[in-house]
Structure formats: C-alpha cells, structure tokens
Amino acid sequence: MLTVNAYAAPAANEPLIPTTLQRRDVGVNDVLIDIKYAGICHSDIHTVQGDWGDQHYPLTPGHEIVGYVSEVGSEVTNHQVGDQVGVGCLVNSCRDCENCRKGEEQFCTGGNVGTYGAVDRDGSITQGGYSTAVVVDADFVLRIPEALDFAAAAPLLCAGITTYSPLRHWNVGPGSRVAVVGMGGLGHVGVQIAHALGAEVTVLSQTLSKQEDGKRFGADHYYATSDPETFTQLAGSFDFILNTVSAEIELDAYLSLLALDGTMTNVGAPPVPLSLNVFALIGARRSFAGSLIGGIRETQEMLDFCAEHGVEAATELIGAEQINEAYERVQSSKVRYRAVIDTSTLD
Ligand code: NAP
Ligand code: ZN
Ligand code: ZN
C-alpha cells in the first residue's frame, strides 16, 4: 500500500479538507501514476453534494487526471515509466458484456467502475484525482500526446470526451448546424471540437459576456438565452444541439430551435428531472437524447484529435487550498473555463 496526499469531502455539503489515501499495491496489470494536474468537473460538485444520490464519504473527487507513469506491473506492455498519461472517468468495467466488447465501457451492463466513489472489483471504494498518485489498470490509462499542454489536456479526459462522443455519434461535420448550450467547462471544449469537425457552431449562453471568448474558440454565432428574441430568431435552425447546462432549462424552448429530424442531446446532468411537451418533438420529428462520457478507445481517439487540431481547455491553475473557492466559482459560472489543480501543492 502507498499512502498519498489528497483532498476529500468528509460529508455532503462540507468543505473539502486535506487528507491521505491508501493506494493499492501495483498489480501485474496496473500502472502507478504521479499525478501532476487534476481538473475540477461540475460532476465532482454534484457528486460530493449528493445531488445524484448518497455517496461513500470521505470522498476524493477528480476524473480529469494527467501525470507521469512511475511504475508498471510485470504484464503491462502499453505504458512505460516516464510516459505522459491520463485517466478519465472510468477505471474498470467487466470487459465482457456486449457494450464493453464494442469499446463502450461507459455502458457496461455489469456496471462500469468510476474513478471515484464507485465500488472497485476488490470491494474497495475508488478515490479520484485530487491527490498526488493513483494506481489504475493499464487498459484504462490514456496516452497524452506531446503536442498538448499538459495542464490544458487534463480537462479533455472528461469535458473533451463527453462532448466529442455525442458530436461524433450524431455525425456532426461539414454542413452541420450545431448549437452548444452553456459555455462552461464542457461547453468551451465542445465548441472547439464541433468547429474542428467542420460544423457551423452557435453558442447559446445566458448572456453575451463571453462572446469574444466564444468566437476565439471557433463559434460562428453567439446568442444570449436571456433574450426572448433569440428563440424566435433561431427557430428551426439547428441540426444538433448539445446541452451542457448543469441546471434545469426549459426544454421545449430549445427543442423548437431544431430543424426537421434534428436532435438535442443532454450531457448536462442536473439533479432535478426535466420535462418536455411531446408536441415539441412530434412537430418536426425531433429527437431528445442523452450521452455519457465515452469509451476508452474513443477517449484516445479524442486526445489524438485534439492534439491534431489544437483543441485544449482554457484553464485557471489553482493550488489545493483553493478547491473550495473554485467549487463556488464553478457554481456561479465564473471559472474561465476549467479550474485545474496543480497537485504539487498537495505535498
Ligand atoms: P460548468 O463548467 O459549470 O458549465 C455549465 C454551464 O452551464 C455554465 O458555464 C453556464 O454557461 C450554464 N449554466 C449554469 N447554470 C445555468 C442555469 N441555471 N441556466 C442556464 N445555464 C446555466 O459545468 P461542466 O463541468 O461543463 O458540466 C456541465 C454539466 O455536465 C454538469 O451537470 C455535469 O455534471 C455534466 N456532465 C455530464 C457528463 C456526461 O457524461 N453526460 C460528463 C461530464 C459532466 P453560460 O454561462 O454560458 O450560460
Ligand atoms: Zn466530469
Ligand atoms: Zn461490461
């Protein structure tokens, strides 16, 4: 066992505090990673607050992890000591069900193992990346291309794959008219990826305050959803809408922006149920869908795509003692655009 420094929530709605964790011994298929940076995803906040149900505490969040390999098990062939690697939202799955065999481990019918707060195969509770080191099965460790800035690559492990996967699944490319709702951690990466895929990209943000940044990320158009005119002006004009909002929004209004056969996909995961009027779908054969992160193979594909197209997160680098303040700033949509913990501050 290895003792590592970490930050953990002692209970729901309590500030995170410094602590230590035990990491398992490096098994034959495991990789020990010295964590350098860990992004703060809004899902970390939903989870520690108990928005999505009860949790095991103390809980160390963090599923946007990058670092260097410092030890590998005897049977590991795909990673070497010194490699620049990442870990996202998954650290294990059954590997045998229909979905795992397709490389969609996030939909493992036996239950995937999340990077934190999940029951691991040995019965222990997984603990995430707000820490100095982690031991992960080599098959769930990603290669971080050298072309990417290391800190700016960390958020791609969740925000990148969560936006890339649905954009690819719904065939976004040249000629697609895409809207991204909410320009936060996920949204600002989603805009860049949709642009790199060749789509015409519109940001639908609450206000116009981030318009300049949106254009810099590759948005062709930018509208404020606080202005009711936006919804009349853009009615029926998108093929695909990616909703990244962490809170409840009025679905019918957004569905009315889809063209015939258009799809709106929710990746935002608010704590409350959303409702819609089915006539918003029926009237133009529209679809409302959801999407969960992405599988390991697709996550590697996304990292390589981002390296090739210069897609990186815009980051605010913080020390561990600023984690609680960063949580407040995420919740009030003040972070530009992803807070990333420099884990050397945990030492
Ligand atoms: P974030 O950085 O807080 O961004 C969310 C954005 O939504 C905000 O920047 C804001 O954008 C907009 N927003 C916030 N509150 C709003 C409100 N009341 N009404 C309208 N818009 C609002 O969060 P994130 O890390 O990108 O995560 C977004 C959501 O995706 C969270 O619910 C998270 O749990 C979920 N998520 C899901 C998956 C998945 O696999 N499906 C993976 C990761 C995260 P503007 O200021 O531009 O309006
Ligand atoms: Zn996440
Ligand atoms: Zn499976």
Side-chain angles (χ1 to χ4, degrees):
M1 290 280 223
L2 180 70
T3 303
V4 302
N5 292 342
Y7 256 62
N13 295 315
E14 278 187 31
L16 278 71
I17 52 170
T19 187
T20 56
L21 296 174
Q22 299 295 316
R23 299 300 193 184
R24 66 170 181 257
D25 290 332
V26 178
V28 291
N29 293 313
D30 284 338
V31 171
L32 173 64
I33 301 167
D34 267 345
I35 300 174
K36 293 297 170 202
Y37 300 104
I40 294 179
C41 176
H42 206 125
S43 299
D44 301 351
I45 302 173
H46 288 307
T47 305
V48 299
Q49 289 183 340
D51 283 356
W52 297 337
D54 293 340
Q55 302 296 323
H56 302 274
Y57 297 97
L59 174 63
T60 294
H63 58 207
E64 295 185 334
I65 303 167
V66 296
Y68 294 100
V69 174
S70 58
E71 191 181 331
V72 295
S74 57
E75 287 175 22
V76 172
T77 53
N78 51 350
H79 300 288
Q80 289 178 353
V81 171
D83 283 358
Q84 192 167 285
V85 294
V87 178
C89 305
L90 301 171
V91 291
N92 217 335
S93 72
C94 87
R95 302 156 193 241
D96 196 36
C97 72
E98 192 185 349
N99 298 339
C100 281
R101 283 175 187 273
K102 279 193 276 192
E104 306 253 44
E105 299 90 354
Q106 74 276 32
F107 301 123
C108 175
T109 57
N112 69 55
V113 181
T115 303
Y116 57 78
V119 181
D120 209 345
R121 309 231 138 233
D122 63 4
S124 65
I125 302 297
T126 57
Q127 301 289 352
Y130 300 2
S131 70
T132 46
V134 64
V135 177
V136 180
D137 186 289
D139 294 339
F140 288 76
V141 175
L142 288 309
R143 291 183 307 280
I144 305 295
E146 293 289 334
L148 291 171
D149 176 85
F150 212 21
L156 300 178
L157 275 308
C158 176
I161 185 59
T162 301
T163 51
Y164 181 84
S165 184
L167 289 167
R168 291 302 308 271
H169 182 79
W170 277 277
N171 297 316
V172 163
S176 309
R177 296 163 299 170
V178 172
V180 175
V181 188
M183 202 174 76
L186 264 57
H188 91 289
V189 176
V191 168
Q192 296 179 65
I193 293 174
H195 173 71
L197 288 168
E200 180 181 348
V201 185
T202 299
V203 173
L204 301 176
S205 181
Q206 294 170 93
T207 68
L208 295 179
S209 62
K210 299 181 278 191
Q211 186 169 18
E212 287 310 308
D213 293 341
K215 297 276 168 81
R216 189 160 50 81
F217 297 139
D220 301 286
H221 316 285
Y222 202 104
Y223 289 87
T225 53
S226 53
D227 179 357
E229 267 296 295
T230 294
F231 291 89
T232 39
Q233 218 177 325
L234 299 178
S237 64
F238 299 111
D239 304 303
F240 186 72
I241 299 178
L242 186 66
N243 177 21
T244 74
V245 175
S246 48
E248 186 178 9
I249 60 167
E250 207 190 315
L251 288 184
D252 295 344
Y254 290 86
L255 290 168
S256 75
L257 305 183
L258 288 171
L260 180 66
D261 288 326
T263 298
M264 171 157 164
T265 295
N266 239 76
V267 288
V272 291
L274 303 180
S275 67
L276 61 83
N277 182 337
V278 291
F279 285 98
L281 303 175
I282 290 171
R285 203 163 51 202
R286 297 172 177 127
S287 302
F288 179 61
S291 185
L292 175 68
I293 47 172
I296 295 300
R297 188 166 59 220
E298 194 175 42
T299 304
Q300 189 64 58
E301 179 187 301
M302 174 278 305
L303 288 165
D304 296 340
F305 177 92
C306 289
E308 189 182 336
H309 294 273
V311 174
E312 290 179 343
T315 58
E316 287 186 4
L317 213 54
I318 64 164
E321 71 291 349
Q322 293 169 283
I323 290 173
N324 294 302
E325 183 195 334
Y327 272 32
E328 300 282 325
R329 286 170 53 71
V330 172
Q331 287 172 293
S332 52
S333 304
K334 289 198 178 119
V335 174
R336 301 287 182 269
Y337 284 86
R338 194 56 127 193
V340 173
I341 304 161
D342 175 348
T343 59
S344 67
T345 59
L346 286 162
D347 285 330

